[in-house]
Amino acid sequence: MSTDHHPPKERTAMSEMTIEAVRPTTESMTSMTPSIDEPPVQLRLANVSKTYSPKDGKVLDGIDLDIARGELVSLLGPSGCGKSTLLRMVAGFIKPDEGRIEIAGANITRVPTHRRNIGIVHQSHALWPHMTVAENVAFGLEMRKVRRNERERLVSEMLEVVGLGGFDRRLPPELSGGQQQRVALARALVIEPQVLLLDEPLSSLDANLRVYLREEIRRIQRELGVTTIFVTHDREEAMAVSDRIVLLQHGNIAQEGSATDLYRHPDSLFIMAFTGALVSFDGVVEHGDVRVDVGHFGLAAAASVPVAHGDAVVVAMRPEDIGVASSDAYDTVDALRFGGTLDDVAFLGTSVEARVTLSTGQRIEMRLHPRDLSTLPPVGNAIDLQVDASHLHVFAA
Ligand code: ADP
Ligand code: MG
């Protein structure tokens, strides 16, 4: 594993501690030889399922997921969708009912937790309050019988990496919540884990600190090149830190991709709603046309999932894709046009929020770039809006 923080000598010592069961064989390494642009798979879940109680059904249902070496993948989804369950299986705290888990090509499905080389950070840091920061961080190294002077060096190096240089003699209760999470991160990273698991590591912290620390996690993850699963129910957090987002729903992967993929090309209304704000209308497909109560547009021009004539649909759009129609606008299948009354405008500096009541009585919110503020009529006046069909998502109702 490539790390900048451990000089080659330590790296040898660390890899001697890597237990046989999870160490990739030369053969599997060869078979996984990466091309330059495609790093090898570091973590593989193949058809992994888990049921806690038969009456509740499958919590995870045949999950297939490959994570590349050095990749940061967010597991995103509503509370109870199985994110922690998936993480616990990678850690070895629970066994899958079916399926296979591999790290660096080695099957670890039945390998006990203490023989997996994995770092974990939980929502609540779970530091030992009576042990110093250095002792907390050194714990995993002691378990692995790393010699004392080497241990001290690795610990102080890792405390530098997480921005806590000089804090080694403090006790956890003498630290802020954010600093405690940094200690937890150092403790997870110092063993040079093959996979780092972060289970909502920021959710116990206040909003400003969350934003700051997520950037720090990203920086550290890149610096060390550690393969990471970041569990969160916060879409913005997932979008900010991830190479790839995996969105779970009902025990399945609803969609995976970059933040841009999920936001701009959602496969379902659930995904669209989970990744950001939206405005939606009920409608029906009539031949090549989609009719909603405020207007119509051509299906072929829409960003859409396949639907057929007669289907009831939901037409959804992002608030920032709704614009003020220009005065010379004419009716076309390439756009949806509708009118209403401008109720309220809020200037937020980087954006402008405008609330409009449509002729149907539906109230919607649109978001403009501040440079377009002058396109709005005075509050209380009629307003004509339009959305390019390419920004209209059509989903089966
Ligand atoms: P998430 O982390 O996405 O919030 P979890 O993986 O913790 O979800 O839980 C998924 C589902 O499995 C939930 O319905 C939860 O109640 C259930 N569950 C989790 N752990 C257990 C357990 N040890 N025994 C029984 N049910 C559990
Ligand atoms: Mg959880």
Side-chain angles (χ1 to χ4, degrees):
M1 187 171 158
S2 80
T3 48
D4 303 331
H5 65 295
H6 291 147
K9 213 162 128 233
E10 268 69 29
R11 212 177 292 160
T12 314
M14 294 298 286
S15 66
E16 274 162 20
M17 295 180 306
T18 310
I19 25 80
E20 202 57 48
V22 292
R23 184 190 289 165
T25 62
T26 316
E27 201 183 315
S28 66
M29 293 280 274
T30 315
S31 69
M32 294 188 312
T33 299
S35 71
I36 283 162
D37 7 56
E38 216 177 304
V41 174
Q42 177 73 354
L43 175 66
R44 168 166 287 165
L45 281 81
N47 192 33
V48 166
S49 296
K50 181 68 193 176
T51 303
Y52 289 110
S53 87
K55 82 171 159 54
D56 296 334
K58 287 186 176 179
V59 170
L60 293 173
D61 185 7
I63 298 288
D64 288 313
L65 181 62
D66 280 0
I67 301 183
R69 184 171 302 168
E71 193 180 17
L72 192 162
V73 168
S74 283
L75 274 188
L76 179 65
S79 183
C81 73
K83 304 182 296 294
S84 294
T85 298
L86 196 152
L87 229 59
R88 280 189 220 121
M89 291 197 295
V90 175
F93 298 142
I94 53 175
K95 297 268 173 288
D97 303 330
E98 279 174 68
R100 182 181 163 95
I101 302 174
E102 292 175 11
I103 291 183
N107 182 1
I108 58 145
T109 319
R110 306 282 152 202
V111 173
T113 302
H114 68 276
R115 300 189 62 214
R116 300 184 187 194
N117 197 25
I118 282 175
I120 307 173
V121 177
H122 297 283
Q123 176 178 338
S124 55
H125 38 76
L127 301 175
W128 291 285
H130 57 283
M131 281 163 56
T132 65
V133 164
E135 286 165 350
N136 268 280
V137 175
F139 183 77
L141 297 173
E142 278 178 48
M143 298 293 284
R144 286 165 174 77
K145 312 258 189 287
V146 178
R147 276 177 292 119
R148 185 192 170 126
N149 53 351
E150 204 160 283
R151 217 160 63 207
E152 281 172 1
R153 185 133 82 92
L154 291 172
V155 167
S156 81
E157 262 176 29
M158 192 50 72
L159 286 174
E160 289 289 340
V161 170
V162 301
L164 284 180
F167 282 71
D168 36 331
R169 295 182 163 277
R170 294 266 196 110
L171 292 172
E174 299 166 350
L175 301 175
S176 72
Q179 288 169 334
Q180 292 182 26
Q181 278 306 62
R182 286 171 191 266
V183 176
L185 194 59
R187 185 174 64 180
L189 286 168
V190 78
I191 59 164
E192 241 189 296
Q194 288 181 299
V195 177
L196 175 67
L197 304 176
L198 306 172
D199 195 350
E200 313 223 16
L202 307 177
S203 52
S204 65
L205 306 173
D206 67 52
N208 285 339
L209 193 55
R210 265 204 315 266
V211 171
Y212 177 63
L213 217 50
R214 79 186 183 205
E215 301 307 329
E216 279 286 283
I217 286 177
R218 185 54 169 153
R219 172 187 68 77
I220 294 163
Q221 187 270 338
R222 286 227 174 106
E223 200 173 307
L224 305 184
V226 59
T227 309
T228 302
I229 304 185
F230 185 104
V231 164
T232 178
H233 62 268
D234 180 330
R235 68 174 174 87
E236 199 187 284
E237 206 166 274
M239 290 169 95
V241 302
S242 311
D243 293 312
R244 183 155 51 113
I245 298 173
V246 171
L247 211 162
L248 290 181
Q249 180 191 22
H250 306 317
N252 291 290
I253 295 178
Q255 191 173 350
E256 60 182 292
S258 66
T260 326
D261 289 338
L262 267 64
Y263 189 84
R264 294 224 180 111
H265 309 290
D267 286 345
S268 72
L269 189 63
F270 168 82
I271 294 156
M272 189 159 177
F274 207 84
T275 50
L278 59 81
V279 168
S280 70
F281 303 126
D282 292 333
V284 66
V285 179
E286 285 180 0
H287 302 289
D289 220 32
V290 181
R291 301 204 156 267
V292 291
D293 48 12
V294 295
H296 68 99
F297 60 95
L299 180 61
S304 67
V305 297
V307 285
H309 170 68
D311 283 354
V313 294
V314 176
V315 175
M317 64 218 76
R318 297 296 187 190
E320 66 273 22
D321 289 330
I322 304 171
V324 179
S326 55
S327 53
D328 58 355
Y330 54 91
D331 210 34
T332 157
V333 296
D334 294 335
L336 174 64
R337 287 224 167 74
F338 48 98
T341 306
L342 183 59
D343 293 331
D344 187 26
V345 177
F347 181 76
L348 303 176
T350 53
S351 70
V352 176
E353 277 177 15
R355 276 170 278 282
V356 174
T357 301
L358 305 182
S359 50
T360 54
Q362 182 176 349
R363 303 185 71 184
I364 66 162
E365 198 171 277
M366 55 189 283
R367 191 176 282 258
L368 287 80
H369 193 281
R371 79 167 91 79
D372 297 327
L373 186 60
S374 62
T375 63
L376 291 173
V379 168
N381 283 52
I383 184 170
D384 288 320
L385 302 173
Q386 76 168 39
V387 186
D388 282 354
S390 62
H391 292 136
L392 293 167
H393 302 266
V394 182
F395 303 112

